[in-house]
Amino acid sequence: MNLKDLAKALELSQTTVSRALNGYPEVNEDTRKRVETMARKLGYAPNQQARRLATGRSMSIGHVIPRTLHEMMNPIFMEFIAGAGEAYSRLGYDMIISVVEDRQVEATYREIAAKKKADAVMVHGPRNNDKRHLLLKELGIPFLVHGRVPGAESSTSWIDVNNTRAFERATDLLLDLGHRRIAFLNGLENMDFAIRRRAGFERAFQNRGLAPDPSLMRQSEMTEPYGADCALEMLRTDKPPTAFLVSSMISAIGVSRAISLCGLEIGKDVSVITHDDALSFLPNSGEVPIFTCTRSSVRYAGRRAAELLIEKILPDPDTRIEEHLEAELIIGRSTGPRQR
Amino acid sequence: MNLKDLAKALELSQTTVSRALNGYPEVNEDTRKRVETMARKLGYAPNQQARRLATGRSMSIGHVIPRTLHEMMNPIFMEFIAGAGEAYSRLGYDMIISVVEDRQVEATYREIAAKKKADAVMVHGPRNNDKRHLLLKELGIPFLVHGRVPGAESSTSWIDVNNTRAFERATDLLLDLGHRRIAFLNGLENMDFAIRRRAGFERAFQNRGLAPDPSLMRQSEMTEPYGADCALEMLRTDKPPTAFLVSSMISAIGVSRAISLCGLEIGKDVSVITHDDALSFLPNSGEVPIFTCTRSSVRYAGRRAAELLIEKILPDPDTRIEEHLEAELIIGRSTGPRQR
DNA sequence: TCTCGTATTCAAAGCGGTTTGGAAGATTGT
DNA sequence: ACAATCTTCCAAACCGCTTTGAATACGAGA
């Protein structure tokens, strides 16, 4: 069942049928109704490939995931994808995901451009010396960055959590509670978001004329053992931290395991604040959440990002988008005044 | 830069150029070399949409994710996708992911079929009364099930972990260690994999003429709080379990938190075995892993599934595939002989 | 020398849509 | 009544590739 058949069945030209279905004005309202009815009756759906070829638009958005990124960040990433996916299917777009080796990222983008595989791409996990935005501009593919490319904030479209502010506020809270020896378990600091979080952490100290203890600051992939191992090691020194600021729920769970192992009580002997991406399988909710946290739904970010990106490709690809999401600071059971 | 331009530059017909690039035999080897060189020089890449239209193959695989599935299972699912994605990009296929509401699943499959969006689809998370395989057969889309559709094992292609056997072995181990009051925290038992795991658990008891205590058997989404809450509740009764068998690392982490909260020691006072999908952000490895587990890499499953599915659509769509993955039973620090 | 495979190449016909540039019929203005 | 203007519909071109069917050139066999 293709357009030709449908047109024949209706005794109309392909032109008219096509226009009727695509909502063009130069077709009689009665005809349109008739066409739509028949289309539904015969189960007609335009062949995606043909339409794409004819219109030149692929109606799909590309996501290129280098291995280093998907290797570890993946639960958070998945949540973002889930959000974006919702928006895409609502708006009639396809999401195409390419999981590739790091060194193939550039080739993959070039292929997307050359073969016209996608109308736009989403850029994930911007890093220190990220060059992807330059490549994409060269290739002329519209894109949106989830996060910010350092140094290119004002020349790219992006959506990002206000990481600096979130972590500054979290640190402020710990300082207000009397903590001074605050451990900071950050994500890998070649990632832009981690750099910003660190800046927030340090700024809070500076604002009070204090300085964080460098020996309590770590960075790594945000796994559970990372949290546990760091916390264990730190808690066993003679000058253990009285509080932890952690970049991810997953690592925070590790920290909390370590605290238990040391026979200490979380929220009493040791305070913990974590950044909570609102991962569905790690709900930190309830009346009083387990962890005090800076919370920002990454799924929402995904949904919003998808909407913005599609908006961007529609009328004028040159409009630049900046969207800041603020994280909430939510008090849970893992923080309390300094005891020792 | 399209085929026509390239042909003109070479002073050859489109036919010959196309054939040269696609490796057809009826083209002179010298000509082929010349064509390939020029193509590379001019940066030619065939337009994907046009090729798709002409060949009738979309060179992409669809994954339809209903909300209920992606809502919670998502870290495991993501890992599968990462594996599948690797294989797809290696084999030149695109992965298109549709995140939809449950009630739109059928419509989405129909759309994929009608619009020829994908050459095949992967079916995730088969359930009790799953009907998707019937729909897909009706639509004539090749598919592979990750897991098994109850009652349709012998009429569909699938790849699955031997869940029953894995959980039987795990239970055996606990029984061998003297445990009798074994709590079983399963996934939702409308999912096929959960049904099989339960069967394995029960069979191990039956084989010894024993029976599990139904009050210690639970099922739910496999979140962290699920594990913690169940364990807390059970450990506070007068007849607490001495061991836990848990369907997911994530819930196992919750269980372990509960055990600590009760002032007990994991692996000594209480034993825990979990199923470990080898999630990258929850590595349970090292010389002696934290958790004793039945381990089966879901990422590998994804990679393998993708390969099989593509194999299946290539020559003869009617060959049926069955592949069983065995889980390893790995001893970690979370199990020991019954104390009380 | 003539015929016949074989090796190469090509023109043109799809694939299934969208879009351009009319054309016919209906309506309006004078 | 007649030109001007809408309204509504259509034939044909086009998107960029693959593939069919045929043409050309060449060397081998009769």
Side-chain angles (χ1 to χ4, degrees), chain A residues 3 18-19 22 24 44 51 54:
Chain A
L3 187 62
S18 171
R19 297 202 140 139
N22 290 313
Y24 281 72
Y44 168 77
R51 163 180 271 179

Side-chain angles (χ1 to χ4, degrees), chain A residues 144-158:
Chain A
L144 182 77
V145 182
H146 178 212
R148 273 171 283 175
V149 180
E153 288 91 339
S154 57
S155 61
T156 54
S157 288
W158 50 263

Side-chain angles (χ1 to χ4, degrees), chain A residues 46-231:
Chain A
N47 180 308
Q48 192 87 332
Q49 330 298 346
R51 163 180 271 179
R52 283 171 173 173
L53 177 57
T55 58
R57 288 182 308 144
S58 73
M59 293 303 282
S60 48
I61 308 290
H63 293 244
V64 178
I65 319 300
R67 180 189 271 277
T68 46
L69 209 162
H70 81 99
E71 195 66 51
M72 286 307 190
M73 253 190 58
N74 78 54
I76 294 170
F77 175 68
M78 179 66 198
E79 197 80 23
F80 183 92
I81 287 294
E86 282 174 26
Y88 291 146
S89 54
R90 192 157 26 81
L91 298 169
Y93 275 75
D94 281 348
M95 169 166 65
I96 105 174
I97 296 190
S98 306
V99 180
V100 302
E101 296 299 322
D102 289 49
R103 57 188 160 64
Q104 291 178 334
V105 169
E106 179 171 339
T108 305
Y109 280 127
R110 288 189 183 281
E111 196 188 336
I112 288 177
K115 298 191 174 175
K116 305 267 164 55
K117 278 187 173 188
D119 297 333
V121 300
M122 192 77 75
V123 172
H124 299 278
R127 274 174 287 181
N128 239 340
N129 283 306
D130 214 303
K131 294 277 177 287
R132 284 174 289 179
H133 63 295
L134 298 176
L135 174 61
L136 291 169
K137 277 181 185 167
E138 175 199 329
L139 295 172
I141 313 178
F143 65 96
L144 182 77
V145 182
H146 178 212
R148 273 171 283 175
V149 180
E153 288 91 339
S154 57
S155 61
T156 54
S157 288
W158 50 263
I159 179 170
D160 196 9
V161 176
N162 196 336
N163 279 297
T164 309
R165 181 147 172 64
F167 275 60
E168 182 180 355
R169 290 182 66 204
T171 311
D172 265 335
L173 175 58
L174 291 173
L175 291 169
D176 286 345
L177 288 168
H179 298 281
R180 289 299 175 270
R181 294 192 57 72
I182 303 175
F184 179 40
L185 306 190
N186 202 4
L188 276 176
E189 290 184 3
N190 63 347
M191 305 290 285
D192 177 72
F193 77 90
I195 298 170
R196 290 178 197 277
R197 289 177 179 182
R198 180 194 188 128
F201 176 71
E202 288 172 337
R203 193 159 71 195
F205 275 87
Q206 281 157 16
N207 285 346
R208 311 193 183 205
L210 300 171
D213 180 346
S215 73
L216 296 178
M217 293 165 70
R218 301 290 162 81
Q219 51 151 321
S220 168
E221 298 275 11
M222 301 178 295
T223 64
E224 201 269 359
Y226 161 53
D229 296 347
C230 283

Side-chain angles (χ1 to χ4, degrees), chain A residues 283-290 295 330-333:
Chain A
N284 179 37
S285 44
E287 293 164 42
V288 184
I290 297 172
R295 184 183 300 157
I330 295 180
I331 305 297
R333 280 193 283 254

Side-chain angles (χ1 to χ4, degrees), chain A residues 13 19 23 63 71 109 111 125 150 152 178 180 205-206 229 235 244 251 260 268-269 286 300 313 321 328 332:
Chain A
S13 74
R19 297 202 140 139
H63 293 244
E71 195 66 51
Y109 280 127
E111 196 188 336
R180 289 299 175 270
F205 275 87
Q206 281 157 16
D229 296 347
L235 289 171
F244 286 82
S251 302
S260 296
K268 197 153 168 258
D269 305 314
Y300 172 78
I313 55 180
I321 294 165
E328 303 170 296

Side-chain angles (χ1 to χ4, degrees), chain B residues 68-86:
Chain B
T68 44
L69 209 162
H70 81 97
E71 194 66 51
M72 287 306 191
M73 253 191 57
N74 80 54
I76 295 170
F77 174 69
M78 180 65 198
E79 198 81 23
F80 182 92
I81 287 293
E86 283 174 26

